[in-house]
Amino acid sequence: MKKHEDGYLVTIRKDVAKQLETRYPIVTELSIYPAILKIIVPIVALTCVLMILMNKHTIGYRINGNLNTQEQQELEALLEPHFNQVGPFHFLKSEVEDIKTELEAYYNEYVWINIYRKGTDIVFDVYNTPVDERDDLDTYSDTLYAKRSGIIKNYKVSSCRVLVEQNQLVKEGDPLVTCYVEQPYTTEIIPIEDTAKGEVWADTWYEVNVTAEKVDVQEGFTANKQTTYVLHLGGMEFNFLSQEIAYEKYEEVTKEYNPFFFMEESPLYLEKRQYYEKRDIMRVNTSEELKANLLTLVKNKFKQETDGEFIIKNLEIISEEETETQFIYKCHLTIYENIAY
């Protein structure tokens, strides 16, 4: 109840108001606030709860950077133990600092790593500095190691001290080039004020499995084509020799004949449209044909897995397996490649 100059403002129930109307003049007021509050309050409360959960829980991660496909897969394998995957969601179960420490220990000093939270995601920025840009850095690795076992065949080193010789067998992790030297007649090792840069080439060995389909389906062009002409006049189109395209798959090639080529928008030009039919062409491969092209198949496989240069010096088929749909070859390879990193 509130007192006013011309009376009192009293809030009462509807059933009581009906009983008092016969004895007292009552002015009623209609308020929409309670109805609106019933809608707004739950929405605001739910939004606050979701915002709190978003700030406290991580349901995914993103990777930004310049890593190639193989490096991206390696990084995802490193991150997998730190997340619990439930359907499409990845819930973080480790501390961010622990993940960063592990990544910094895994990668060398040329990889820049930054980890931060954005909404419900953890974002991993991982950028690998290209080799041709490392000359601009102040610090370098003082030792080059063998990334794979092999027999040294050649080296091109521009600085520091080479530790290996031609035809020497080295194992993965052995030092190849170093910027440290031993002092004569002492056990003291001192650094050289230089940087370890260069390439060490060696013969290395791989065992690979090559799978080839017995029936290879490839899309190719037939000898059929269909041609139509379209006259463009003032924004309108007039078709000549036009008919429904008879091909299920095709590639369209267009060419314009424009007498007003010097104008930005030509009022009149002729367009030629040609449709070239495409079909799935099935090719049956024999074991002899696949063996003849096995070197090409292996080269393509290696090109997808490495960014460096390599030469396949020898390929030997160890075993051959045939299934209903495939030929499977197990091969031994001798690869000539740069093993320094």
Side-chain angles (χ1 to χ4, degrees), residues 213-257:
E213 301 293 332
K214 289 185 176 180
V215 179
D216 186 17
V217 180
Q218 296 181 350
E219 190 176 67
F221 290 96
T222 68
N224 300 325
K225 72 175 181 179
Q226 186 174 323
T227 304
T228 61
Y229 294 90
V230 180
L231 179 64
H232 297 263
L233 177 60
M236 296 183 294
E237 295 184 0
F238 300 93
N239 296 319
F240 299 95
L241 304 177
S242 177
Q243 56 182 336
E244 185 178 353
I245 301 174
Y247 313 134
E248 181 179 355
K249 295 181 180 180
Y250 59 88
E251 183 171 317
E252 180 181 357
V253 178
T254 61
K255 185 177 181 180
E256 295 182 359
Y257 303 92

Side-chain angles (χ1 to χ4, degrees), residues 15-283:
D15 56 341
V16 177
K18 291 180 180 180
Q19 297 177 9
L20 296 177
E21 280 181 351
T22 57
R23 300 174 60 186
Y24 304 98
I26 297 176
V27 178
T28 59
E29 293 185 355
L30 180 64
S31 175
I32 63 172
Y33 292 110
I36 294 178
L37 290 177
K38 290 180 180 179
I39 300 174
I40 294 178
V41 171
I43 294 176
V44 173
L46 180 60
T47 303
C48 294
V49 171
L50 291 176
M51 291 179 65
I52 294 172
L53 292 176
M54 288 174 64
N55 289 327
K56 294 183 64 176
H57 297 281
T58 299
I59 61 173
Y61 67 86
R62 300 202 314 267
I63 298 175
N64 298 328
N66 61 347
L67 303 180
N68 59 34
T69 302
Q70 182 178 356
E71 293 169 339
Q72 182 97 356
Q73 293 174 351
E74 291 177 359
L75 177 56
E76 291 175 353
L78 291 173
L79 297 178
E80 185 177 351
H82 298 284
F83 290 85
N84 284 325
Q85 184 174 357
V86 180
F89 304 110
H90 294 78
F91 294 93
L92 181 67
K93 66 178 183 180
S94 303
E95 296 294 332
V96 173
E97 288 300 322
D98 295 340
I99 300 177
K100 187 173 182 180
T101 301
E102 180 181 335
L103 295 181
E104 289 176 344
Y106 180 81
Y107 291 105
N108 58 30
E109 66 270 25
Y110 299 122
V111 178
W112 182 81
I113 300 171
N114 185 36
I115 305 175
Y116 58 94
R117 185 189 297 272
K118 188 172 183 181
T120 59
D121 289 342
I122 293 292
V123 181
F124 296 89
D125 290 336
V126 183
Y127 289 87
N128 187 19
T129 306
V131 175
D132 56 355
E133 296 181 9
R134 294 180 182 179
D135 292 339
D136 298 332
L137 302 179
D138 296 328
T139 59
Y140 294 82
S141 174
D142 49 28
T143 303
L144 297 179
Y145 298 92
K147 64 182 179 181
R148 192 171 183 86
S149 301
I151 297 179
I152 303 300
K153 292 300 180 182
N154 194 14
Y155 49 80
K156 301 175 183 178
V157 177
S158 58
S159 61
C160 293
R161 185 165 64 101
V162 180
L163 301 177
V164 294
E165 300 176 350
Q166 288 186 343
N167 297 320
Q168 177 181 339
L169 175 65
V170 296
K171 296 181 179 180
E172 179 182 353
D174 287 350
L176 305 176
V177 182
T178 184
C179 289
Y180 291 89
V181 295
E182 296 180 0
Q183 291 291 84
Y185 310 109
T186 69
T187 58
E188 183 181 4
I189 299 177
I190 63 174
I192 302 174
E193 292 185 0
D194 207 339
T195 56
K197 293 182 292 183
E199 298 178 351
V200 180
W201 290 77
D203 286 347
T204 58
W205 308 278
Y206 292 81
E207 281 192 2
V208 297
N209 292 322
V210 180
T211 302
E213 301 293 332
K214 289 185 176 180
V215 179
D216 186 17
V217 180
Q218 296 181 350
E219 190 176 67
F221 290 96
T222 68
N224 300 325
K225 72 175 181 179
Q226 186 174 323
T227 304
T228 61
Y229 294 90
V230 180
L231 179 64
H232 297 263
L233 177 60
M236 296 183 294
E237 295 184 0
F238 300 93
N239 296 319
F240 299 95
L241 304 177
S242 177
Q243 56 182 336
E244 185 178 353
I245 301 174
Y247 313 134
E248 181 179 355
K249 295 181 180 180
Y250 59 88
E251 183 171 317
E252 180 181 357
V253 178
T254 61
K255 185 177 181 180
E256 295 182 359
Y257 303 92
N258 185 6
F260 302 96
F261 60 89
F262 51 87
M263 299 180 61
E264 184 176 352
E265 293 186 5
S266 176
L268 173 66
Y269 66 93
L270 180 65
E271 180 184 12
K272 180 182 179 181
R273 298 177 182 174
Q274 290 184 307
Y275 305 92
Y276 294 87
E277 184 184 23
K278 301 175 74 175
R279 286 182 183 175
D280 290 336
I281 302 174
M282 297 180 60
R283 176 182 175 182

